[in-house]
Amino acid sequence: MDEHQLNSIVSSEIRESLNHFESEHSADRIRALDMYLGEPLGNEVEGRSQVVSTELSDTVEAIVPNLMRVFTSNDKYVRFNARTAEDVERAEQISDYCNYIINHQNDGYKVLYNWFKDALLFRLGVVKYYYDETETTNEEEYEGLNEAELTALLANPDIEVVGSIETTEQEIVIDEMTGMAMESPPSFDLTVRVREVSGKIKIENVPPEEFLVNRRATSLDDAHFIAHRTTMTVSDLVAMGYDRDIVEKHAGSSDLDIDQERVARFQDLEAATGIDPADPTLAEVVYYECIMKVDYDNDGIAEMRRICAIGDAGTEILHNEPCDYVPFAVVSPILMPHRLIGRSIYDMTEDLQVIKSTLLRQYLDSVYSSTLPRMGVVEGMVNIDDVLDGTAGGVIRMRQAGAIQPIMGNAVGGEIRPLMDYIDQIKEQRTGLSKASQGLDANALQSTTASAISATVRGAQVKLESYARTMAETGVKDLFKGILHLVTKYDNKPKIVRLRNNFVPIDPREWTSEYDVVVQVGLGTADDEQKIAFLTQIASKQEQILMQMGPDNPIVTMEQYVNTLRSIAEIGGFKDADQFFNNTQQIQQAKMQQAQQAQQPQGPTPEQQQMAQMLQLEQQKAQADIQIAQQKAEADIALKREKMMADIQMEREKAQLEMELRRQELDAEAQLRAMKAMTGSDISTNLPR
């Protein structure tokens, strides 16, 4: 397949998906956001009450805390269970490391909060996960390096020399041992640029209007086209390695800048659109990251590929490569069979919010007409300005009595309030959220037994648990499977990570098989107090068995009993159960030590004692011989050092004496030349010999 044909396919899929979402979902998402914010409904009448009920906002804000309690209890978002006995320890490491990724490398609570809220409001919540590899460069200066240090530094492929290497001049120094003059080794000064490559798994929320999928997709697995439509600056795209001229050709305002959903989200900020920045490198470009199935190699089978394109409809392809996973996970609170996008809380409360707002407005209008009724006046007999002045206790001037009289409205509170209560009951039936489930209904809980109250609250939370379970079995499970895939493919270097308040060495290269574990999420659906009470009963039974049948009984082991106690501490809110009880590994190590000590004899025999004494004497003699040999060697070294120093001193004195004699001879010759020059005669014969 040539590039032109591929470009045509990508553009066609993008346009088809955009038309589908804009016609089917965009308007509903805009209205859902307006209703959540309590914006006007569009049916307001001038001069009448325009209050808006907040059914959608109240329901969503009451459901989200329950969902977060389910998924974020004790900061454990996921647990991997081993399928075989030999994979138990590996599964625990995977669970701890995946929780570490979402808790510490990402803001897990915020990601899940926004993810679930998008689903409750806009029918579909989307997150994107990927391995983000970043490259940073720093300049460092080195001074006084020797040749070995310089060679080792330049051997690093991530180091680049900036400028030239400066070599310091060699100096003449005197060796203290030999007294010989010698040249000092050269030293080098240089500046280098160090390139550091690091990476981590990132999880980000995707706004609903930026996520595209083909019209008939029932899940991400069978979707043949998935795309993330966003905007990036020219600088960001050039930094990713794309051609600047191609990127700048598509820079400027785009359809995404005036997208109605984005405008509605930021309407309170009054953000202008279509304004080009002063710096051209900060101009925005529409960027599409597409995951699609296409027969690129013309073998008759469509393969999954990752295609990156820019332009309003992906008219320019920048990148094309094979892909082995879908970097998105989606959730819907209410699934629709054979459809990817389900229903939301907005779908169940939209009509109720309109009806209740209308009833509330009529109720308030009735109260207003009762407290501030309209006035009937005889034209020309009453001062209209006085009538229009609503000051309490004000005077109304009129020419004759009875020229003004109030027109009272009918009170409708008795008819409207039961209707509003009925609307609340319908909302409770649809959403599963009621005052009883929140412990706020005094009438339902008054003079009621504890078991009845528990049954009422538990029954009201059935739908909330259904939302949580649906999200757990769909998007949340897919997310953590994807995280494990990225760990085994990219983040697979041995490392030491702090897990459970301990620094533990892990090697993700051993986690290559995804079939060794089973993902479980949404484990906190039951009430914590019920869990603790149930585990306490189990612990009591375990204690009875251990006391009656001993620690080696075939029913309960000490490790199982400790696991029960640790679970009680963890559910109670203590993240580090090690401060109360040892873990199973520590217990097994203690047992092994005790077994080894039990196998050892209690005391040595007389023969063993005699043998030990002989060995001790031999060791003492050997140590004494070693000390004598060391002392003798040190004495020899000292004598040799003193002799060498004496020889050096004699050589120095001899050299000085020879230099002194030579200096005297030179002085004598100089005197002879001077006398000869003065007398003009040779007096050398008169000198004593």
Side-chain angles (χ1 to χ4, degrees):
M1 182 180 297
D2 57 18
E3 294 298 328
H4 179 74
Q5 186 178 0
L6 179 63
N7 199 329
S8 176
I9 294 174
V10 173
S11 299
S12 176
E13 291 288 353
I14 291 176
R15 291 190 180 94
E16 175 69 17
S17 300
L18 284 173
N19 293 334
H20 168 62
F21 276 89
E22 289 177 357
S23 61
E24 298 293 336
H25 303 288
S26 182
D28 290 338
R29 290 197 293 245
I30 294 174
R31 182 167 175 80
L33 181 61
D34 290 340
M35 297 189 72
Y36 174 80
L37 298 176
E39 298 291 339
L41 302 176
N43 58 355
E44 288 74 19
V45 179
E46 186 69 26
R48 299 291 184 90
S49 174
Q50 299 183 5
V51 67
V52 177
S53 178
T54 56
E55 302 302 299
L56 176 59
S57 175
D58 298 341
T59 306
V60 170
E61 292 303 324
I63 293 177
V64 170
N66 288 276
L67 293 178
M68 299 307 296
R69 178 180 61 85
V70 169
F71 288 95
T72 62
S73 59
N74 299 328
D75 291 336
K76 290 186 177 180
Y77 298 89
V78 65
R79 179 183 301 164
F80 291 80
N81 286 344
R83 293 180 175 176
T84 58
E86 59 269 16
D87 294 327
V88 172
E89 183 178 357
R90 183 187 304 176
E92 292 180 355
Q93 284 190 351
I94 294 174
S95 301
D96 292 338
Y97 190 59
C98 288
N99 285 306
Y100 170 82
I101 289 175
I102 194 170
N103 276 323
H104 300 281
Q105 293 187 358
N106 297 273
D107 192 352
Y109 184 89
K110 184 178 179 181
V111 170
L112 291 183
Y113 186 94
N114 293 329
W115 193 14
F116 297 154
K117 202 164 189 178
D118 278 343
L120 295 174
L121 282 175
F122 307 122
R123 301 172 181 164
L124 191 70
V126 185
V127 294
K128 181 181 180 181
Y129 55 93
Y130 58 95
Y131 186 78
D132 182 32
E133 190 173 75
T134 58
E135 179 178 331
T136 58
T137 56
N138 298 313
E139 289 192 359
E140 299 178 357
E141 296 181 357
Y142 293 89
E143 297 180 355
L145 298 180
N146 56 36
E147 292 184 0
E149 293 172 339
L150 178 63
T151 302
L153 183 67
L154 297 181
N156 191 341
D158 295 330
I159 291 180
E160 177 186 358
V161 178
V162 179
S164 59
I165 301 176
E166 298 181 1
T167 306
T168 58
E169 297 181 357
Q170 296 179 338
E171 299 179 354
I172 304 299
V173 296
I174 303 297
D175 189 357
E176 296 181 356
M177 299 293 295
T178 62
M180 303 291 292
M182 57 184 302
E183 294 182 350
S184 63
S187 60
F188 306 93
D189 301 338
L190 71 160
T191 301
V192 298
R193 183 179 293 111
V194 182
R195 181 177 66 94
E196 297 181 356
V197 179
S198 60
K200 66 176 183 178
I201 297 174
K202 296 189 67 174
I203 307 171
E204 298 176 351
N205 295 102
V206 178
E209 73 274 5
E210 294 185 3
F211 181 73
L212 304 177
V213 67
N214 60 284
R215 185 186 300 266
R216 296 295 180 87
T218 61
S219 66
L220 295 185
D221 294 332
D222 66 0
H224 66 263
F225 176 80
I226 305 170
H228 179 202
R229 177 184 63 154
T230 185
T231 57
M232 300 183 69
T233 63
V234 173
S235 175
D236 292 337
L237 292 173
V238 173
M240 293 169 63
Y242 298 130
D243 185 79
R244 180 176 180 179
D245 295 335
I246 297 177
V247 172
E248 288 183 343
K249 183 174 64 174
H250 297 276
S253 59
S254 63
D255 294 340
L256 195 59
D257 293 332
I258 57 176
D259 185 86
Q260 295 182 358
E261 293 186 58
R262 174 178 285 192
V263 173
R265 182 179 297 113
F266 297 103
Q267 61 183 350
D268 56 332
L269 302 179
E270 299 180 354
T273 59
I275 300 178
D276 296 330
D279 188 352
T281 62
L282 299 180
E284 291 188 340
V285 182
V286 180
Y287 181 80
Y288 294 90
E289 182 181 0
C290 307
I291 307 297
M292 58 185 302
K293 296 177 181 178
V294 60
D295 184 15
Y296 186 71
D297 53 3
N298 291 326
D299 62 351
I301 301 175
E303 301 87 8
M304 185 182 297
R305 304 190 69 84
R306 176 176 176 265
I307 300 173
C308 302
I310 58 176
D312 289 339
T315 54
E316 187 78 38
I317 294 179
L318 300 179
H319 187 74
N320 177 18
E321 65 176 359
C323 181
D324 60 351
Y325 79 104
V326 177
F328 300 98
V330 298
V331 293
S332 286
I334 303 173
L335 297 180
M336 291 292 292
H338 317 298
R339 291 175 59 177
L340 175 65
I341 301 177
R343 301 190 69 201
S344 65
I345 302 301
Y346 158 76
D347 295 314
M348 294 185 292
T349 59
E350 187 264 344
D351 59 334
L352 301 181
Q353 181 163 330
V354 174
I355 295 172
K356 194 170 183 179
S357 297
T358 303
L359 293 175
L360 187 57
R361 291 173 182 179
Q362 294 174 352
Y363 190 11
L364 293 176
D365 288 338
S366 173
V367 175
Y368 297 156
S369 64
S370 299
T371 56
L372 296 173
R374 302 182 66 184
M375 293 295 180
V377 299
V378 179
E379 188 175 1
M381 304 300 293
V382 179
N383 189 312
I384 300 299
D385 293 335
D386 293 344
V387 175
L388 296 177
D389 184 9
T391 304
V395 177
I396 298 178
R397 292 167 289 182
M398 49 186 168
R399 298 179 184 272
Q400 64 180 10
I404 181 173
Q405 57 183 345
I407 301 176
M408 303 298 297
N410 295 326
V412 295
E415 293 80 7
I416 290 180
R417 291 185 61 181
L419 288 175
M420 296 177 65
D421 293 339
Y422 177 67
I423 296 299
D424 291 337
Q425 294 178 7
I426 296 177
K427 183 188 71 172
E428 294 175 2
Q429 294 175 359
R430 291 183 181 180
T431 63
L433 190 70
S434 63
K435 294 181 179 179
S437 65
Q438 304 177 70
L440 303 177
D441 191 351
N443 295 326
L445 304 180
Q446 186 176 7
S447 301
T448 308
T449 62
S451 59
I453 294 175
S454 178
T456 301
V457 174
R458 194 181 304 111
Q461 290 181 339
V462 171
K463 280 200 173 183
L464 299 181
E465 294 183 1
S466 175
Y467 301 152
R469 193 64 186 177
T470 299
M471 294 179 179
E473 293 296 332
T474 55
V476 180
K477 179 177 288 188
D478 294 339
L479 171 63
F480 285 104
K481 284 184 177 179
I483 291 176
L484 178 58
H485 174 78
L486 294 179
V487 169
T488 57
K489 184 174 182 179
Y490 300 104
D491 193 17
N492 55 5
K493 297 180 180 179
K495 62 191 70 176
I496 297 178
V497 184
R498 184 179 180 181
L499 303 175
R500 301 181 183 179
N501 292 328
N502 294 318
F503 289 93
V504 180
I506 63 173
D507 189 0
R509 291 176 297 182
E510 299 178 355
W511 305 345
T512 54
S513 176
E514 63 178 341
Y515 302 103
D516 290 340
V517 295
V518 176
V519 185
Q520 291 183 348
V521 290
L523 304 175
T525 55
D527 186 74
D528 289 343
E529 295 181 358
Q530 295 177 359
K531 286 184 177 181
I532 293 176
F534 183 70
L535 289 174
T536 303
Q537 294 179 0
I538 294 177
S540 177
K541 294 295 183 182
Q542 290 174 336
E543 291 174 358
Q544 293 178 4
I545 296 173
L546 291 172
M547 292 177 63
Q548 294 177 3
M549 304 181 63
D552 296 329
N553 67 87
I555 302 176
V556 178
T557 63
M558 292 298 297
E559 289 83 356
Q560 292 173 329
Y561 177 63
V562 171
N563 288 336
T564 304
L565 299 179
R566 290 174 62 90
S567 299
I568 294 175
E570 291 175 354
I571 295 174
F574 296 95
K575 300 179 181 179
D576 185 15
D578 291 338
Q579 59 182 324
F580 303 108
F581 311 102
N582 290 333
N583 55 39
T584 56
Q585 295 180 352
Q586 293 173 336
I587 295 175
Q588 292 175 357
Q589 292 177 358
K591 284 185 175 181
M592 292 176 61
Q593 292 177 358
Q594 293 176 358
Q596 293 175 357
Q597 292 176 359
Q599 292 177 357
Q600 295 178 355
Q602 297 297 326
T605 61
E607 292 79 7
Q608 292 176 343
Q609 292 180 354
Q610 184 178 3
M611 183 66 68
Q613 292 176 357
M614 294 177 62
L615 291 174
Q616 185 176 3
L617 291 174
E618 291 179 359
Q619 290 177 356
Q620 292 176 357
K621 182 180 179 181
Q623 291 178 356
D625 294 340
I626 292 172
Q627 291 179 357
I628 293 172
Q630 289 179 349
Q631 293 175 358
K632 183 179 179 181
E634 291 175 357
D636 293 341
I637 292 172
L639 289 173
K640 290 180 179 179
R641 184 184 298 111
E642 291 177 359
K643 181 179 179 181
M644 183 177 62
M645 295 298 296
D647 295 339
I648 293 172
Q649 184 65 25
M650 291 178 62
E651 291 292 333
R652 288 179 179 175
E653 291 177 356
K654 182 178 179 181
Q656 291 177 358
L657 181 60
E658 290 177 354
M659 291 176 65
E660 181 65 23
L661 291 174
R662 179 60 179 167
R663 185 180 62 77
Q664 292 178 2
E665 290 178 357
L666 293 175
D667 291 341
E669 290 178 0
Q671 292 177 2
L672 287 173
R673 292 191 188 94
M675 294 175 62
K676 183 178 181 180
M678 292 175 60
T679 59
S681 61
D682 187 4
I683 60 174
S684 61
T685 58
N686 298 325
L687 293 175
R689 297 184 179 178

